[in-house]
Amino acid sequence: MIIKEVIDKKREGHSLDSAEIRDFIKGFTKGEILDAQMSALAMAICCKGMSTRETADLTDSMMRSGVMLDWGEGLPTADKHSTGGIGDKLSLIIQPLAASCGLRVPSLTGRGLGITGGTADKLETIPGYNASLNLEEMKAVVEKTSLAMTVQTAEICPADKKLYALRDVTGTVASVPLITASILSKKFAEGAETLVFDVKCGKGAFMKTREEARELARSLVDSSKASKRKSVALITDMDNPLGLKVGNANEVEEALEMLDPNCREKQLRLKEEIDLSVELASRMVALAKGLSLEAARELARTKLAEGAALEKFTQMVAAQGGDLEAFKTMREKAKVRRFRISAMRSGFVEAIDSARVGLVSLGLGAGREKSGDVIDIHAGIDFEVKVGDRVSVGAPLATLVTSTRPEALEANAAMLLKSIAIGHNRKESTSLILETIE
Ligand code: URA
């Protein structure tokens, strides 16, 4: 392979053959291909795209750059991937729920960057929780509980790790084939035979329009199928934040309530979020176990109502070193500053702009502006209202919380107030699921 010719070929808009893609990724992983050459190819892919076959080849090459987990016989292995949103703590519900329905779920999760949070950051707010398991530790946790939630280990998909770092600084993140190969290579390497994708769409999502979300969902599903994995994608609404809490530790608290059968009131309040969680877990179960969707939904609803998903979550947290009692004590004792905002007029909450909410959360210290920043685990927003609620003048809308940036409270409170639209129109509660791509 002549490196420059491969770059030229893609730049001219031609398809690369399987061997060219394989050799390029191999050379890049070993350091024989320069970062500049890989960046040039990434830019050419960004501009000219890739076919499903090329994307599947790229996925396969990246998967093979490191260790591939093989779980052998026993439970079917499945995972879910969300493209990320504001207040999106649903992985903390879906993965344990799917595992409680009899699946093996060795989930590699991400950290937050920019306005979207990361599941690993949320879990790490639990004292002792190790979200950076090594391969042996990850295997032991999955053997014990059938569920692990940890970040990509050094051994898994090193090509993706290297390439992502380059994409981040060369303006080549926003490419459907590169995103697809990056997501899928890790999921395939962790051994998932079934994959369910939650492609978020709207103001607080990476994909702002239905067309963009559809393109990514189609690419994820088609490339999975081309690699002989069962998969389905749901395109879901991310215009408004998910749940009433946005941050890190407060989102873990909310997830615990969503999992707890004794928190019925909270579950009714968050009906759309619970329904979406059950649907995504049911899709995993139906595909992985070969059940009808109706049977899978029934099973998932029963497991959630029985507290089996909460038990699974608790087992996993303990197996990864976390202490939920210490988490509760830590939250009670946290030294934080709060700022409450109230309604300036009466009416119905018509919309809550999730992009602005994400910026407020970031401003309070709950997120990372650049990779490596330290987050304030207690920072975030606790909403009192959801879209569709009726409010009167002076009614509390939300509380901003920070333990590290008290000086940021006032300006962010003003921005949060602007993000909550109050008017005459009552929006009826509707499903968060906009579309299904199979
Ligand atoms: N998540 C990933 O793992 N990779 C991407 O490229 C985008 C989102």
Side-chain angles (χ1 to χ4, degrees):
M1 175 194 59
I2 299 173
I3 298 166
K4 195 178 150 304
E5 281 180 7
V6 175
I7 301 168
D8 285 347
K9 193 171 171 185
K10 182 45 74 185
R11 197 197 59 230
E12 297 300 326
H14 303 295
S15 286
L16 302 181
D17 59 43
S18 304
E20 286 168 331
I21 294 172
R22 187 194 57 218
D23 292 347
F24 209 99
I25 295 300
K26 244 190 201 164
F28 172 60
T29 312
K30 284 194 200 154
E32 292 163 6
I33 287 181
L34 302 175
D35 285 358
Q37 292 169 318
M38 187 69 240
S39 303
L41 182 64
M43 184 56 86
I45 294 170
C46 243
C47 298
K48 300 293 175 175
M50 274 185 147
S51 66
T52 301
R53 196 269 306 150
E54 287 176 288
T55 308
D57 283 338
L58 181 60
T59 304
D60 189 72
S61 306
M62 300 215 307
M63 172 187 79
R64 290 179 195 285
S65 68
V67 170
M68 290 176 289
L69 296 172
D70 178 1
W71 299 98
E73 296 298 303
L75 304 178
T77 305
D79 202 359
K80 181 234 38 154
H81 178 84
S82 160
T83 56
I86 310 300
D88 185 7
K89 74 277 297 164
L90 302 192
S91 290
L92 304 182
I93 295 132
I94 297 162
Q95 270 85 331
L97 179 55
S100 74
C101 292
L103 302 189
R104 185 192 285 120
V105 187
S107 197
L108 295 177
T109 70
R111 293 194 187 283
L113 189 59
I115 63 168
T116 53
T119 300
D121 295 319
K122 292 170 199 181
L123 284 165
E124 274 179 346
T125 67
I126 303 169
Y129 189 92
N130 181 2
S132 305
L133 299 177
N134 65 34
L135 212 52
E136 291 315 309
E137 290 166 337
M138 182 187 182
K139 282 185 196 159
V141 172
V142 175
E143 296 298 342
K144 191 167 175 189
T145 70
S146 73
L147 170 68
M149 296 178 85
T150 181
V151 296
Q152 180 180 7
T153 73
E155 302 93 330
I156 292 181
C157 293
D160 171 65
K161 214 169 192 168
K162 259 183 104 179
L163 177 54
Y164 195 85
L166 286 185
R167 288 169 58 208
D168 206 20
V169 293
T170 56
T172 51
V173 169
S175 149
V176 166
L178 292 178
I179 294 172
T180 302
S182 171
I183 293 171
L184 294 187
S185 57
K186 286 173 285 208
K187 296 287 174 197
F188 294 176
E190 72 181 36
E193 300 142 351
T194 298
L195 286 163
V196 172
F197 303 104
D198 180 3
V199 179
K200 302 273 179 220
C201 172
K203 291 194 177 87
F206 192 50
M207 300 292 160
K208 306 283 179 221
T209 67
R210 194 73 81 85
E211 289 67 33
E212 288 169 344
R214 211 175 272 141
E215 191 191 352
L216 179 59
R218 178 54 53 223
S219 172
L220 288 165
V221 169
D222 288 351
S223 303
S224 298
K225 287 187 178 160
S227 304
K228 310 231 170 344
R229 265 74 171 186
K230 292 177 265 189
S231 84
V232 61
L234 303 185
I235 298 177
T236 68
D237 185 14
M238 195 60 255
D239 273 342
N240 304 291
L242 286 168
L244 291 164
K245 314 262 181 175
V246 176
N248 289 284
N250 60 348
E251 289 199 35
V252 172
E253 280 167 354
E254 185 160 71
L256 283 166
E257 289 175 323
M258 289 170 80
L259 285 164
D260 189 344
N262 296 317
C263 297
R264 197 70 198 119
E265 216 175 294
K266 180 76 178 214
Q267 291 172 358
L268 287 173
R269 181 87 169 115
L270 299 184
K271 182 178 178 310
E272 293 89 352
E273 288 84 349
I274 297 267
D275 285 350
L276 175 56
S277 306
V278 169
E279 186 62 19
L280 286 160
S282 304
R283 295 276 178 169
M284 289 167 73
V285 173
L287 282 178
K289 292 184 127 183
L291 296 181
S292 72
L293 198 46
E294 273 318 307
R297 284 179 183 140
E298 179 69 31
L299 180 62
R301 287 229 169 259
T302 306
K303 292 290 178 189
L304 188 63
E306 282 173 350
L310 176 60
E311 199 180 319
K312 188 58 81 178
F313 180 77
T314 308
Q315 284 169 3
M316 176 206 66
V317 168
Q320 292 193 217
D323 181 341
L324 285 171
E325 282 309 311
F327 173 75
K328 285 178 197 151
T329 311
M330 172 195 80
R331 289 290 286 159
E332 280 159 15
K333 292 194 172 156
K335 287 195 172 48
V336 296
R337 291 278 302 278
R338 298 177 206 275
F339 195 110
R340 187 180 244 193
I341 57 166
S342 306
M344 311 281 273
R345 56 185 291 201
S346 298
F348 293 103
V349 177
E350 291 182 347
I352 302 178
D353 182 329
S354 55
R356 277 197 174 147
V357 170
L359 284 172
V360 169
S361 181
L362 192 61
L364 294 170
R368 288 190 187 85
E369 272 151 51
K370 57 181 189 319
S371 157
D373 283 355
V374 175
I375 60 171
D376 172 355
I377 63 172
H378 297 295
I381 304 148
D382 297 341
F383 283 96
E384 307 276 343
V385 294
K386 289 195 82 185
V387 171
D389 286 359
R390 183 201 283 275
V391 292
S392 313
V393 177
L397 295 177
T399 303
L400 296 88
V401 184
T402 183
S403 67
T404 51
R405 297 191 190 169
E407 74 289 351
L409 280 168
E410 221 168 301
N412 279 289
M415 166 130 78
L416 189 61
L417 203 51
K418 276 198 207 136
S419 76
I420 305 173
I422 297 174
H424 299 297
N425 304 312
R426 175 167 197 188
K427 186 173 174 258
E428 293 302 326
S429 146
T430 48
S431 167
L432 292 167
I433 301 169
L434 304 173
E435 218 170 300
T436 303
I437 306 279
E438 292 179 287

